[in-house]
Amino acid sequence: MRSTAIIVAAGRGVRAGGDLPKQWRQVAGRTVLEHSLAVFEAHPRVDEIVLVVAPEDMSHVEARHLADRATIAAGGATRSLSVLAGLEKATGDVVLIHDAARCCVPSDVIHRVLDGLADAPGAAPALSVSDALWSGAAGKVTGLQDRTGLFRAQTPQGFHRDAIRAAHAASDGAAADDVAVARAAGLDVTIVEGDERNIKITLPGDFARAEQLLGAQMDIRTGNGFDVHRFGPGDHVMLCGVAVPFDRGLQGHSDADVGMHTVTDAIYGALAEGDIGTHFPPSDPQWKGAASEVFLAHACDLARSLGFEITHVDCTLICEAPKVGPHAAAMRKEMARIMGIEVDRVSIKATTSERLGFTGRGEGIAAMATATLVKR
Ligand SMILES: Nc1ccn([C@@H]2O[C@H](COP(=O)(O)OP(=O)(O)OP(=O)(O)O)[C@@H](O)[C@H]2O)c(=O)n1
Ligand SMILES: C[C@](O)(CO)[C@H](O)COP(=O)(O)O
């Protein structure tokens, strides 16, 4: 059974206040939406992700390279219309429809929803109401409500795709959630156990709670990398994905991009997954002359598959020449593109070694880098 996660993120977040819709605001080091996305990316039973984003928010999608990580759909004026737009792009047999605003969703909740779909057309997480329920008016208690059989609904709400697509297509687009749409179409929905941590950021105070929950779960790793390549004949050097004109080239088994190799090794280091040689042995002729982008993309994919987000890389190139400064902006942009992260999370700088040592004598280029990875 292939599954598609549809993460709806096209709302305006009016109740949460602030300058930006809540899904684009930062919590514990990254946006609310990216936290939600990371949970589904790392989930072993999720095969595809569709992100539903308001047409006016596409600049956020571009800045964060989200189209490299998920299929993007344009959202509608109500949550239901946004879900329908996501359903049009989903190819899985089952769909998990999730609020981007529930950015602390534990992986176990997703497992329980998928288990629930084995013998029902719909399954959704909820928590029974344990507090007493009152009715009130003008600041006074006016009565006690029976809480028997009442549940607090959460997401992801899971369904067999074709059934919920037909249900949404037939609905008026005004339902609060997908369970309401499914029930209106006569579909049974199984209740599975939700989780107290699966809060929805709705009001301004919810950001602090999410920060607490996400911060407490964080696993932060730092890796370092170091590499050297010697000069040889040529008319340019590849540095951090940019061909820099020069009167020599760098020698190596691949394209000898010393900066990119160093960042790649820093990422493998943070994951404790060896180095480039472990994954791409120099003895293997298929990597001769390879573009180093292949190595960096592999390290980033490995990080994501293990549930890590690359939050920052810092690379220092050590050489007397060529001059790196004029190319640094292009290098940052290219590295960010390959890594699928924002440019402001990539630092590329350079130094000389004051004419000392092999770099000072102009025999080659050295590079060092650190990478910071976060998992929650
Ligand atoms: N037209 C809409 C409205 C909501 N959502 C998404 O549905 C989820 C749950 O909705 P809610 O918490 O009500 O979000 P908002 O509509 O953004 O909030 P508000 O009602 O305060 O404006 C959110 O992730 C939100 O981005 C959506 O994709 N498209
Ligand atoms: C789908 C939902 O998250 C279930 O709890 C909820 O219905 C979303 O919207 P609301 O407007 O905050 O009720």
Side-chain angles (χ1 to χ4, degrees), residues 4 48 50 71-74 84-91 165:
T4 302
E48 175 186 60
V50 177
T71 302
I72 308 296
L84 188 55
L87 284 166
E88 298 300 337
K89 303 248 175 177
T91 64
R165 193 151 64 183

Side-chain angles (χ1 to χ4, degrees), residues 15 79 99 102 153-155 157 176-177 200:
R15 288 170 290 175
R79 184 183 181 284
D99 296 331
R102 290 188 190 272
Q154 300 187 340
T155 69
Q157 299 182 350
D177 71 3
K200 179 160 75 67

Side-chain angles (χ1 to χ4, degrees), residues 112-114 116-117 120-125 156-159 179 188-192:
R112 289 196 285 273
V113 172
L114 286 167
L117 288 176
Q157 299 182 350
F159 304 92
V179 168
D188 269 346
V189 180
T190 298
I191 300 174
V192 302

Side-chain angles (χ1 to χ4, degrees), residues 8 52 74-87 168 171-175:
V8 285
V52 187
T78 64
R79 184 183 181 284
S80 281
L81 290 172
S82 294
V83 171
L84 188 55
L87 284 166
H168 264 284
S171 95
D172 63 4

